[in-house]
Amino acid sequence: MRSTEQFIIKKPLEFKTRLLRWAQQFDEVIWLDSNIYTQQYSSYDAILAVEAFTAIKTDHYNAFDQLKEYQESTSDWIFGYLSYDLKNDTENLVSENSDELNFPDLYFFQPKKIFLLKENILEVQYLRMVDDEIKRDYQEIRTLKGDNEADSSCGKVKISLKITKDEYKERVSEMLAHIHRGDIYEANFCQEFFAKDSCIDPLQTYHHLNEISTPPFAAFLKIEDCYLLSASPERYLRKEGQKIISQPIKGTAKRSLDVKEDMQLASDLSKDPKEKSENVMIVDLVRNDLSRTAKKGSVIVEDLCKVYSFKQVHQMISTIVSEVDPAISPVDVIKTTFPMGSMTGAPKISAMKIIENLESSKRGLYSGAVGYFTPNDDFDFNVVIRSILYNQEKRYISYTVGGAITAKSDPDKEYEECLIKAKAMREVLESIG
């Protein structure tokens, strides 16, 4: 079905930049970059998929059944995304908040051309219909000259808040009232920042965002006029053979330029009772979700509340694994765990209902997932956080940040944490023009 060739790349970092720039000629582009972040579960340093041969685009209604049929019938690599609002397919829920981005709820495509980079080895997989273009494309990428100049006609991006700080604090207080009543233990509450009648150069903006964050689950997605520029540090779910891996993030601390102070901030995070309780609650939720498809006794917590350091923040990450029966569809594994616990709360359905009532914007692709399925039914998906979303046709730019609200939450501190998480996106957008 696919022709494969391998090339040795002398300067992988330089080649990656050229490869992504070359990809901009296509209407469908997904770029996934680990930024060579050391991690236990990883197949490639970077992946590029371009040019749809077949595709599926749908709203939430029966979305997972349609995806399952598409994934099974295609029996090939497929790349795409799951928006948060697919919750309405898995549960009796709605999404009625405002949506200025208008991305489809689900989109996947079978690419004609795939590039898989690991260290200095580039593997190229083309569908047979275009395999005569492999060498030509490789030469074109290798000799691509100059940088793309950013679109200077866009001007300054003026960022607005969907809700004020006072409104945010009031809604956190409402969420705390739900927690004290026993409706929920924890919920992830998010707020949107946006710019109307604005434009950006998506590729330059992505490069800037990735440069200041260098996260392990970065993504650049282009589906016609819809763009995702993501500096995500979080994996949602991965399948390796029959092994399922989930790595939720809960717990955040700022970084410091002073080495001693920075080490202290990381140490304080590892011992913080509020942050640890947030993480443990979500670990319990993930264990429960994975158990729905796992072989009996196979759900194991490999790492609990381990602190990882990224350029912008320290994060507390846990790793939970399970084993599934080969007869279980990979799409069903995702369906029974979606949306991810780190972006919802516990109990999950109650938390999602309360989130819908208190948030002002439809989440859409934010807190959804981007990734791929392989021809042998493996998959890997990130969590869409620390991301800029852009509808080029509507000239609408958006980024959303949130945090876990628990009984120990302080509204002022939660708002401060949101601003820490928003820093990279704001810095990137405010530097434009």
Side-chain angles (χ1 to χ4, degrees):
M1 200 171 183
R2 288 187 180 271
S3 295
T4 301
E5 290 210 31
Q6 284 194 346
F7 302 94
I8 294 171
I9 307 301
K10 287 181 180 174
K11 297 178 179 177
L13 287 176
E14 199 177 287
F15 187 84
K16 283 200 303 184
T17 305
R18 286 200 177 109
L19 185 57
L20 186 52
R21 197 161 77 244
W22 172 83
Q24 300 310 302
Q25 65 189 286
F26 301 103
D27 285 333
E28 304 87 14
V29 178
I30 288 189
W31 167 258
L32 304 168
D33 192 351
S34 73
N35 286 296
I36 321 175
Y37 191 90
T38 304
Q39 51 183 311
Q40 187 179 353
Y41 298 105
S42 178
S43 302
Y44 306 101
D45 295 337
I47 303 179
L48 174 69
V50 297
E51 198 175 4
F53 173 54
T54 65
I56 177 175
K57 176 169 72 173
T58 183
D59 62 12
H60 71 269
Y61 186 71
N62 282 341
F64 281 105
D65 288 345
Q66 292 180 66
L67 176 60
K68 185 175 175 179
E69 186 183 338
Y70 179 67
Q71 189 264 334
E72 288 176 355
S73 63
T74 305
S75 212
D76 189 17
W77 291 87
I78 59 170
F79 290 74
Y81 70 78
L82 310 155
S83 80
Y84 173 79
D85 299 287
L86 294 180
K87 66 184 175 59
N88 306 335
D89 182 34
T90 59
E91 304 294 344
N92 185 23
L93 299 166
V94 293
S95 296
E96 293 176 338
N97 290 326
S98 72
D99 177 18
E100 302 271 3
L101 282 161
N102 293 128
F103 283 37
D105 286 343
L106 177 147
Y107 185 95
F108 277 84
F109 72 100
Q110 177 189 12
K112 290 182 183 176
K113 304 178 179 185
I114 302 170
F115 299 80
L116 306 160
L117 186 65
K118 183 72 175 176
E119 294 174 348
N120 68 335
I121 304 295
L122 176 72
E123 185 177 307
V124 179
Q125 294 192 16
Y126 277 30
L127 288 178
R128 295 269 165 84
M129 69 186 72
V130 291
D131 64 4
D132 59 330
E133 298 172 17
I134 290 178
K135 285 190 169 60
R136 185 205 69 188
D137 286 349
Y138 173 69
Q139 281 303 115
E140 199 176 296
I141 296 158
R142 205 171 62 84
T143 57
L144 208 58
K145 297 282 186 227
D147 289 326
N148 273 9
E149 289 298 317
D151 186 347
S152 57
S153 65
C154 285
K156 283 279 182 193
V157 173
K158 187 176 183 300
I159 297 161
S160 302
L161 288 74
K162 191 65 84 169
I163 57 173
T164 65
K165 182 179 179 180
D166 285 343
E167 285 172 318
Y168 173 89
K169 287 164 65 178
E170 280 170 24
R171 293 181 197 191
V172 169
S173 296
E174 283 184 61
M175 199 164 265
L176 284 167
H178 280 289
I179 291 169
H180 296 142
R181 274 203 302 271
D183 302 333
I184 49 171
Y185 309 115
E186 174 179 351
N188 192 282
F189 178 58
C190 300
Q191 58 175 322
E192 182 191 9
F193 298 80
F194 67 96
K196 283 187 172 181
D197 298 318
S198 298
C199 70
I200 53 174
D201 181 306
L203 185 57
Q204 293 297 326
T205 306
Y206 166 77
H207 279 314
H208 190 183
L209 182 64
N210 190 53
E211 199 175 87
I212 64 175
S213 303
T214 59
F217 298 102
F220 176 98
L221 176 145
K222 172 191 177 188
I223 307 297
E224 296 173 349
D225 285 320
C226 296
Y227 289 86
L228 165 74
L229 321 171
S230 179
S232 175
E234 183 171 4
R235 169 178 276 132
Y236 158 43
L237 208 60
R238 175 178 171 91
K239 181 174 180 285
E240 288 183 358
Q242 305 323 126
K243 187 172 185 175
I244 308 298
I245 302 112
S246 178
Q247 294 181 296
I249 290 179
K250 270 287 158 273
T252 304
K254 64 183 180 182
R255 300 291 311 263
S256 172
L257 294 173
D258 180 278
V259 176
K260 205 169 181 180
E261 186 186 14
D262 193 57
M263 287 173 68
Q264 189 60 50
L265 287 165
S267 175
D268 290 347
L269 174 61
S270 71
K271 297 167 191 162
D272 188 308
K274 175 195 171 285
E275 305 286 359
K276 285 181 86 167
S277 70
E278 277 182 24
N279 197 295
V280 169
M281 278 186 226
I282 298 307
V283 167
D284 285 343
L285 189 155
V286 170
R287 286 171 63 200
N288 184 59
D289 280 351
L290 290 181
S291 70
R292 294 167 72 182
T293 56
K295 288 182 179 177
K296 194 173 179 183
S298 71
V299 180
I300 297 163
V301 179
E302 284 190 344
D303 269 325
L304 185 64
C305 300
K306 189 174 177 181
V307 173
Y308 291 76
S309 297
F310 303 96
K311 269 194 178 179
Q312 300 289 323
V313 288
H314 298 293
Q315 300 273 203
M316 194 180 278
I317 304 176
S318 292
T319 300
I320 309 101
V321 301
S322 68
E323 194 180 334
V324 293
D325 192 284
I328 291 174
S329 156
V331 174
D332 285 340
V333 177
I334 291 171
K335 184 179 180 179
T336 52
T337 60
F338 194 85
M340 61 290 300
S342 61
M343 297 308 295
T344 53
K348 200 183 220 181
I349 296 169
S350 300
M352 288 191 287
K353 285 178 179 174
I354 291 164
I355 286 165
E356 182 67 27
N357 288 334
L358 292 178
E359 290 181 356
S360 292
S361 305
K362 181 179 171 181
R363 288 194 184 178
L365 183 46
Y366 172 75
S367 72
V370 171
Y372 61 88
F373 293 87
T374 71
N376 59 355
D377 288 344
D378 285 348
F379 59 71
D380 205 0
F381 285 86
N382 75 357
V383 177
V384 179
I385 52 174
R386 320 288 158 81
S387 300
I388 295 167
L389 291 154
Y390 176 43
N391 186 317
Q392 193 170 44
E393 186 183 11
K394 292 187 72 182
R395 292 172 58 83
Y396 188 85
I397 304 162
S398 167
Y399 63 90
T400 299
V401 290
I405 310 303
T406 67
K408 294 176 181 174
S409 289
D410 173 273
D412 281 302
K413 286 184 179 172
E414 292 298 338
Y415 193 80
E416 190 182 310
E417 185 179 309
C418 279
L419 296 184
I420 291 169
K421 290 173 178 173
K423 186 185 172 198
M425 285 86 74
R426 178 178 280 277
E427 190 178 310
V428 166
L429 292 172
E430 287 185 340
S431 69
I432 292 167

Short mmCIF file of all heavy atoms in Angstrom, two decimals, residues 143 227 362:
data_model
loop_
_atom_site.label_atom_id
_atom_site.label_comp_id
_atom_site.label_asym_id
_atom_site.label_seq_id
_atom_site.Cartn_x
_atom_site.Cartn_y
_atom_site.Cartn_z
N THR A 143 17.04 21.15 -0.18
CA THR A 143 17.68 22.34 -0.78
C THR A 143 16.83 23.60 -0.64
O THR A 143 17.14 24.63 -1.25
CB THR A 143 17.96 22.09 -2.27
OG1 THR A 143 16.73 21.76 -2.93
CG2 THR A 143 18.95 20.97 -2.46
N TYR A 227 -6.27 26.27 12.07
CA TYR A 227 -4.90 25.99 12.53
C TYR A 227 -4.87 25.73 14.04
O TYR A 227 -5.56 26.41 14.80
CB TYR A 227 -3.98 27.19 12.26
CG TYR A 227 -3.64 27.42 10.82
CD1 TYR A 227 -4.48 28.19 10.00
CD2 TYR A 227 -2.47 26.90 10.26
CE1 TYR A 227 -4.17 28.42 8.66
CE2 TYR A 227 -2.15 27.13 8.93
CZ TYR A 227 -3.00 27.89 8.13
OH TYR A 227 -2.68 28.12 6.82
N LYS A 362 -17.26 27.47 24.29
CA LYS A 362 -17.17 26.07 23.91
C LYS A 362 -15.69 25.72 23.78
O LYS A 362 -14.94 26.45 23.15
CB LYS A 362 -17.89 25.86 22.57
CG LYS A 362 -17.90 24.43 22.08
CD LYS A 362 -18.66 24.32 20.75
CE LYS A 362 -18.47 22.93 20.14
NZ LYS A 362 -19.16 22.80 18.85
#
